[in-house]
């Protein structure tokens, strides 16, 4: 998540904004900036690098004013430069915008604006928002109305905050889709807006959360929230409890639920600075292998534990099918003792959320001692895996994952591996810019699609009701869906304590079919891909024996409804990224079942978030 902070009130805005951004810095960033209305003049300061860079700039060139906005950025479109740092101005220079998210249709909008004579100084999608806002503000004279009209033109997931020196004392904000949270802090004679609660909680505990497509207009003493149809709506004001844990949890009952719902934003963050739709290219600056290095890889060994191992099984499909490089996958606890045959032309890829898992680190050391380059795909910044990896670390930028059951880190791993497969394919000439672009468009659309799955209205509480007393469950999938079946089973067993098993659907007839009866829930992951027809046969085999089927399939499916007691559908994507979409219902099903059984969701018995011992 980028850091976003806005302030309007009686105090100097800059210290409030910078302190707020510092409270969000756990996510890291590559540049920062601030804009303050200094009695009709827009004072803007920006810097590349960490927030300390901006603080140093402000020390020598302070800004004055009681209304402003500030931002910390990960490059999404365009390099990490001061020019690309937020805030961004419109053509007049009197409107300024900050954003968290991705404007999927920014290219089309930018070309239309250029055709109307606009010129751009950055490579960002955010500058396009600023120019659109300036145009609508010039015609309407009302900043909130201008934002409403601008938001209607954008596709994607965004959190946007803006101000204009021609709308003194007024901040506007909107949330589009599910990628970017926007929280409003209601103070005494002052208002705050931020992308997450920690930036606000020192000043007020009265907050409200914008819903998808809300447009908020704030002054020091007023808050008006409108819908796209211009109707005014009231959002409930939540009084935050004062304990840091619940503050970090925000409106969610458990960290796991919060992290499940953070995935649209996380899947935007993991792309930052790594894809260029215009150029049709992928760049992984934190992977220390250039094109020649990537071309020289003879084969890849992926090693991990638990959920990360399931991710690596998907990674094998991605890298082999997209980049055409042979991949073997090993549990780290197996790899390190099996005397593997290794050579220096291989690459070991260690996948780990914590970067501290003892078996995974040991596997990395074993490979390194054999002269094999080691790459980490990891979430935790500064973890041991990032220090021992010799070929760099592909950071997942998912933010701290507190719930012991991994959710947002898992889907971030899937996307991180997909980016690695694309990068290797690009280096080896397997993908050209033209054949890369469909992959990039699917990636850009993913965040919104995940948000759609999260908000599709499925009654997981009812499903949990039907599962809560079962003593066992079977998860079936084929090809790319087989690792997802394994992951679904792990999610259910580790937080609800119901025994669950993932199995390749084609193997059911070789034994597990003996388990089928009218009590055993069989969760079938059957998206409309090359294995779909075979999965339909497996579902029929289960039904023929009186089994219970819960199906996860593609939107528009017409076959499974009569076979399954419940069908959950996910939007269409390519086969590799469909694994992200089919994972979401499994996370929510496991969560709802565990809650129904009164389990300790965030800290299940016997488990630890990071297994740093063998
Ligand atoms: C996943 O839900 C579990 N918490 C566990 O299997 C975890 O994935 C495993 O311990 C590996 O952890 P890591 O990703 O931090 O290496």
């Amino acid at each position: 998540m980028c850091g976003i902070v806005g302030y309007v009130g009686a105090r100097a805005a800059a210290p409030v904004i910078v302190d707020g951004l510092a409270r969000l810095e756990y996510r890291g960033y590559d540049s920062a900036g601030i804009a303050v209305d200094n009695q009709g003049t827009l004072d803007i300061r920006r810097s590349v690098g960490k927030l300390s860079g901006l603080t140093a700039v402000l020390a020598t060139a302070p800004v004055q004013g009681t209304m402003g906005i500030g931002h910390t950025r990960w490059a999404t479109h365009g390099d990490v430069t001061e020019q690309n740092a937020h805030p961004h101005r419109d053509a007049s220079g009197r409107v300024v915008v900050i954003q968290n998210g991705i404007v999927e249709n920014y290219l089309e909008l930018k070309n239309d604006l250029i055709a109307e004579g606009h010129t751009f100084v950055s490579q960002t999608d955010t500058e396009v928002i600023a120019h659109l806002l300036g145009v609508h503000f010039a015609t309407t004279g009302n900043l909130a109305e201008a934002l409403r009209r601008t938001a209607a033109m954008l596709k994607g997931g965004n959190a946007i905050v803006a101000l204009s020196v021609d709308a003194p004392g007024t901040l506007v904000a909107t949330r589009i889709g599910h990628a970017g949270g926007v929280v409003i802090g209601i103070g005494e004679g002052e208002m705050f807006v931020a992308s997450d609660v920690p930036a606000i909680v020192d000043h007020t505990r009265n907050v409200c959360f914008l819903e998808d497509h809300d447009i908020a207009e704030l002054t020091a003493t007023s808050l008006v929230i409108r819908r796209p149809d211009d109707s005014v709506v009231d959002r409930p004001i939540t009084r935050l409890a004062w304990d840091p844990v619940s503050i970090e949890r925000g409106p969610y009952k458990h960290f796991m639920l919060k992290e499940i719902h953070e995935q649209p934003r996380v899947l935007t963050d993991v792309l930052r600075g790594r894809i260029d739709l215009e150029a049709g290219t992928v760049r992984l600056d934190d992977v220390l292998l250039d094109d020649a290095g990537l071309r020289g890889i003879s084969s890849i060994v992926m090693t991990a534990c638990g959920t990360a191992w399931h991710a690596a099984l998907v990674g094998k499909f991605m890298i082999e099918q997209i980049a055409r490089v042979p991949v073997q996958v090993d549990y780290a606890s197996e790899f390190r003792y099996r005397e593997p045959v290794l050579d220096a032309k291989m690459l070991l890829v260690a996948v780990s959320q914590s970067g501290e898992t003892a078996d995974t680190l040991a596997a990395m050391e074993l490979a390194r001692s054999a002269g094999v380059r080691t790459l980490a795909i990891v979430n935790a910044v500064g973890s041991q895996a990032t220090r021992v990896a010799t070929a760099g670390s592909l950071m997942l930028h998912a933010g701290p994952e507190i719930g012991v059951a991994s959710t947002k880190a898992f889907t971030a791993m899937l996307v991180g591996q997909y980016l690695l497969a694309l990068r290797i394919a690009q280096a080896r000439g397997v993908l050209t810019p033209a054949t890369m672009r469909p992959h990039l468009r699917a990636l850009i659309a993913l965040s919104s699609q995940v948000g759609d799955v999260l908000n599709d209205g499925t009654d997981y509480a009812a499903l949990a009701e039907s599962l809560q007393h079962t003593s066992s469950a079977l998860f079936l999938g084929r090809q790319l869906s087989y690792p997802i079946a394994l992951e679904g089973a792990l999610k259910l067993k580790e937080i609800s304590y119901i025994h669950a098993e993932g199995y390749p659907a084609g193997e059911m007839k070789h034994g597990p079919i003996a388990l089928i009866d009218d009590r055993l829930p069989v969760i079938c992951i059957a998206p409309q891909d090359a294995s779909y027809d075979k999965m339909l046969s497996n579902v029929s085999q289960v039904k023929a024996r009186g089994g219970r089927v819960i199906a996860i399939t593609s939107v528009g499916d017409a076959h499974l409804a009569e076979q399954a007691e419940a069908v959950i559908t996910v939007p269409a994507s390519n086969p590799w990224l469909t694994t992200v979409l089919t994972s979401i219902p499994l996370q929510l099903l496991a969560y709802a079942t565990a809650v129904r059984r009164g389990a300790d969701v965030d800290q299940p018995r016997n488990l630890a978030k990071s297994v740093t011992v063998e």
Side-chain angles (χ1 to χ4, degrees), residues 220-429:
T221 55
S222 69
L223 167 62
V224 177
I225 299 174
R226 291 184 179 84
R227 296 296 300 152
D229 63 7
D230 212 19
S231 60
V232 174
V233 65
D234 279 332
R235 294 297 173 209
I237 293 178
T238 305
R239 181 152 179 80
L240 294 171
W242 191 248
D243 80 82
V245 169
S246 67
I247 285 170
E248 294 294 339
R249 243 188 353 236
Y252 295 99
K253 186 175 177 190
H254 297 103
F255 277 106
M256 182 179 176
L257 186 61
K258 175 181 181 187
E259 288 149 10
I260 288 172
H261 284 273
E262 282 182 330
Q263 288 176 111
R265 192 174 63 196
V266 166
L267 298 178
T268 301
D269 288 348
V270 71
L271 300 182
R272 293 194 185 292
R274 292 169 164 164
I275 64 172
D276 185 330
L277 180 60
E278 252 174 314
T281 56
V282 167
R283 58 186 292 178
L284 299 176
D285 294 342
D286 42 11
V287 173
L288 308 181
L289 293 168
D290 60 12
D291 283 0
L294 292 169
R295 280 197 296 272
I297 296 168
S298 60
S299 70
I300 291 174
V301 181
M302 301 185 78
T303 189
C305 302
T307 282
W309 180 74
H310 299 150
L313 290 174
V314 175
K316 169 184 169 75
F317 281 99
M318 293 173 167
I319 295 169
E320 288 194 342
Q321 293 178 344
I322 297 170
R324 308 308 294 160
V325 174
V327 178
Q328 55 182 306
V329 181
D330 254 312
Y331 279 119
S333 55
E334 290 295 305
F335 176 80
R336 58 185 295 203
Y337 299 114
R338 68 172 176 81
E339 298 173 22
V341 177
L342 301 172
D343 74 56
K345 292 189 68 181
M346 295 168 76
L347 174 70
L348 179 118
V349 177
V351 186
S352 174
Q353 188 287 127
S354 65
E356 300 293 348
T357 301
D359 284 320
T360 305
L361 293 172
M364 294 178 76
E365 283 304 328
L366 173 66
R368 188 170 157 174
S369 64
V372 175
R373 291 158 299 176
T374 56
L375 170 68
I377 295 180
V378 62
N379 186 42
V381 176
S383 56
Q384 182 64 5
T386 63
R387 289 193 289 274
V388 302
T390 57
S393 302
L394 198 163
M395 300 308 294
L396 296 174
H397 300 311
E401 188 174 64
I402 313 298
V404 165
S406 185
T407 51
K408 63 177 183 176
F410 174 67
T411 51
M413 287 170 187
L414 299 181
V415 173
Q417 291 172 155
Y418 187 72
L419 288 167
L420 180 61
L422 296 178
R423 177 70 187 89
I424 297 171
Q426 175 180 294
R428 301 168 79 95

